[in-house]
Amino acid sequence: MFDAIQDIMSNGRVARLYRSLVRDQQIAADAEGFSPFPGDKYPSLFSFYAVRCLAYTGADARRDSQRDRQAEGDRCN
């Protein structure tokens, strides 16, 4: 079961994590995940990571965060 989750979330360029962060939002150069981490000691523990694009700055992150909060507010009304 955990292998299926890992494949859906982070198995290559068609995975949801990669597609969202790298292709759609273009805020990361790479995004992946792996399990089990560390080794077989915790078999249900996942680790996900993303490598930030150099062009994506803290100001961009604040702007995106504010835009997301405003969009959430619009959906709630």
Side-chain angles (χ1 to χ4, degrees):
M1 176 172 174
F2 292 116
D3 290 337
I5 294 170
Q6 178 184 351
D7 286 345
I8 291 169
M9 291 299 293
S10 64
N11 191 12
R13 294 176 183 259
V14 294
R16 292 180 182 191
L17 186 66
Y18 184 94
R19 191 173 53 214
S20 175
L21 297 177
V22 178
R23 191 187 72 190
D24 296 344
Q25 297 180 43
Q26 297 180 352
I27 61 173
D30 190 21
E32 298 207 16
F34 50 91
S35 117
F37 176 79
D40 292 326
K41 186 172 183 179
Y42 304 104
S44 61
L45 185 63
F46 286 91
S47 180
F48 296 100
Y49 71 91
V51 178
R52 177 180 67 92
C53 285
L54 293 177
Y56 192 74
T57 65
D60 294 329
R62 285 189 296 277
R63 183 192 68 236
D64 291 347
S65 176
Q66 183 176 9
R67 184 188 66 220
D68 291 344
R69 281 195 305 271
Q70 290 171 346
E72 287 176 11
D74 293 342
R75 284 191 297 246
C76 294
N77 292 332

